[in-house]
Amino acid sequence: MRDPNSGIFLTIEGIEGVGKSTAVQFIQEYLTQKNKKFIITREPGGTEIAEKIREILLTPNSEEKITPDTELLLMFASRSQHIHHVILPALKAGKWVVSDRFVDASYAYQGGGRQLDMKFLQQLDEQIVHSLKPNATILLDASPEIGLARAKHRGPQDRIEQEKVDFFERVRTGYLARASKEPKRFHVIDATKPVESVQNEIKTILDGLNDA
Ligand code: TMP
């Protein structure tokens, strides 16, 4: 039985162009219809300072390159602000917290994509995220060829979107590796299926969380 004073933490993950925004919108409509108290948030970002960090992270910069270590540390700096000022207070207030990305993205992008030291990443995870874990994580999965083709239609690419296909192959592999380690928390959805089918799968996950 779940603690009635504690909310539900749900995260949405996946490479660019897999339909995260559409999924988040669907979840928002579901929770509104069920009269649930909820917040929708995102990483990097979610607070005033974390959004400033997001801007540094995503603005394409030609002169001074952001090093992979800086990228990793800024992701966790933004996450610390987000956890303490947004996620934990909302969960304590019994709300659902729906976050467009969370720490799994650091394992996939900085661990998989950038191939940074996993031990360092785990240490940051332990120090900054502690024991906070999503109740469920929806991983929208598609090949980078499909995802990037869709993402290109959205306009100018940000600094990370400008990476090459093999970077996103490693990100995808990183996500799938995490999903296979925690099959109870992760729900992997084939994002190439029609939108109705993806939404039906999401609805089943939400119904399950709601009834738990
Ligand atoms: P998006 O949320 O609009 O997709 O953009 C966020 C970008 O930041 C996306 O390319 C994934 C990347 N990212 C990381 O590299 N590591 C992280 O820990 C997080 C949260 C996001």
Side-chain angles (χ1 to χ4, degrees), residues 16 20 43-44 54 58 75 79 100-102 105-106 109-110 158 160:
E16 349 291 292
K20 278 190 301 111
E43 287 203 358
R54 178 186 175 94
L58 299 186
M75 290 295 175
R79 182 160 301 128
D100 183 341
R101 302 191 188 280
F102 188 58
S106 294
Y109 281 79
Q110 282 66 53
D158 67 37
I160 296 177

Side-chain angles (χ1 to χ4, degrees), residues 74-194:
L74 285 180
M75 290 295 175
F76 274 93
S78 146
R79 182 160 301 128
S80 180
Q81 294 300 116
H82 192 214
I83 289 173
H84 292 285
H85 293 288
V86 173
I87 301 177
L88 291 180
L91 289 175
K92 278 187 191 135
K95 293 179 186 167
W96 285 62
V97 174
V98 180
S99 187
D100 183 341
R101 302 191 188 280
F102 188 58
V103 73
D104 297 303
S106 294
Y107 282 94
Y109 281 79
Q110 282 66 53
R114 302 273 184 237
Q115 298 176 295
L116 293 182
D117 182 20
M118 282 294 183
K119 280 203 190 111
F120 183 39
L121 232 152
Q122 273 158 6
Q123 281 170 354
L124 285 170
D125 189 359
E126 277 161 28
Q127 294 294 323
I128 289 164
V129 182
H130 302 286
S131 53
L132 177 62
K133 267 236 187 247
N135 297 86
T137 297
I138 295 174
L139 173 58
L140 296 167
D141 179 60
S143 73
E145 286 79 9
I146 293 176
L148 295 180
R150 286 196 204 160
K152 266 192 187 143
H153 292 295
R154 294 191 305 221
Q157 292 172 305
D158 67 37
R159 191 182 62 84
I160 296 177
E161 281 171 344
Q162 290 176 353
E163 288 295 333
K164 305 215 166 57
V165 168
D166 57 335
F167 173 86
F168 292 102
E169 289 285 5
R170 292 195 298 276
V171 174
R172 182 190 192 192
T173 306
Y175 268 135
L176 291 172
R178 273 190 79 72
S180 68
K181 273 193 201 144
E182 290 184 65
K184 277 201 179 134
R185 172 166 70 91
F186 270 91
H187 301 266
V188 183
I189 298 181
D190 178 351
T192 62
K193 285 187 187 166

